[in-house]
Amino acid sequence: MNKAQRAIDNDEVIGLPTETVYGLAVNPYSTTAVKKLFELKERDDNNPISLLVDSYKTFKTLDIVSYYEELLSLYWPGPLTVVVETNERFANGIGTSNPNSIGVRVPDHKVAINFLKQTGPLAVTSANKAGEKEATSHHEAKHIFNKSVEFYIEGSSTINQASTVVDLRV
């Protein structure tokens, strides 16, 4: 995964398997990387991107205003994205700015978790063009994006559907 790590460090887009669908990932603090991701997906600027983190412990290091620990302990890791208020500053397009909110999820996929342990939080969205069917494997993602994505981590999703989103903002 050294090539994937280098790509993230160089503000490039990579492919990443998760249990829900295959994803596209970038550094959430890099304006350059986030802009590339939006352009690649042909995604509307009003459709923010969420974060993946490797664990609940990492989630707690983000400057989150409030959350429900009981809910997260029941459903993480897994296909639950929670929208929370945060004081953390990400690149435009990651979360929302009014109020400053972010969707966060801990995936239940060994490959994704191991990579997130190396990189820290990543902005991740489904590997598809806006409005089209999501890829569920690196093969499908490569068919859609070819060389526009710097590196594809091999793997497939196991659930093959997007996560459930729960808004926990107060």
Side-chain angles (χ1 to χ4, degrees):
M1 287 193 224
N2 290 335
K3 289 181 182 179
Q5 176 71 56
R6 276 194 302 278
I8 291 293
D9 293 344
N10 290 326
D11 295 334
E12 298 296 338
V13 178
I14 67 149
L16 178 70
T18 76
E19 82 281 14
T20 56
V21 295
Y22 194 85
L24 298 177
V26 296
N27 175 349
Y29 300 97
S30 167
T31 301
T32 300
V34 173
K35 184 177 178 184
K36 286 179 184 179
L37 182 57
F38 272 85
E39 288 173 357
L40 184 64
K41 284 188 54 93
E42 301 170 2
R43 188 176 179 126
D44 185 310
D45 289 347
N46 296 321
N47 193 358
I49 295 177
S50 297
L51 289 182
L52 285 187
V53 295
D54 70 310
S55 65
Y56 176 70
K57 182 178 177 182
T58 299
F59 169 78
K60 290 185 2 181
T61 67
L62 300 172
D63 194 357
I64 304 298
V65 175
S66 67
Y67 55 92
Y68 298 94
E69 189 168 350
E70 299 81 25
L71 178 71
L72 302 182
S73 66
L74 283 172
Y75 294 100
W76 277 359
L80 175 69
T81 299
V82 295
V83 179
V84 293
E85 287 185 47
T86 180
N87 292 318
E88 191 91 13
R89 296 290 172 207
F90 300 102
N92 286 340
I94 307 304
T96 63
S97 59
N98 192 15
N100 200 24
S101 303
I102 187 73
V104 185
R105 185 167 80 81
V106 177
D108 191 12
H109 194 285
K110 185 185 272 189
V111 174
I113 289 174
N114 287 339
F115 189 64
L116 289 161
K117 285 179 181 178
Q118 292 176 36
T119 62
L122 291 176
V124 180
T125 184
S126 57
N128 62 316
K129 297 282 185 177
E132 295 182 9
K133 185 178 182 323
E134 299 92 351
T136 58
S137 71
H138 68 281
H139 296 295
E140 290 178 11
K142 197 177 264 190
H143 180 73
I144 297 167
F145 296 106
N146 200 354
K147 295 183 189 238
S148 298
V149 170
E150 186 67 21
F151 188 81
Y152 296 89
I153 297 174
E154 291 185 9
S156 299
S157 59
T158 55
I159 297 174
N160 299 333
Q161 69 181 34
S163 67
T164 299
V165 178
V166 176
D167 191 339
L168 299 182
R169 293 175 289 187
V170 183

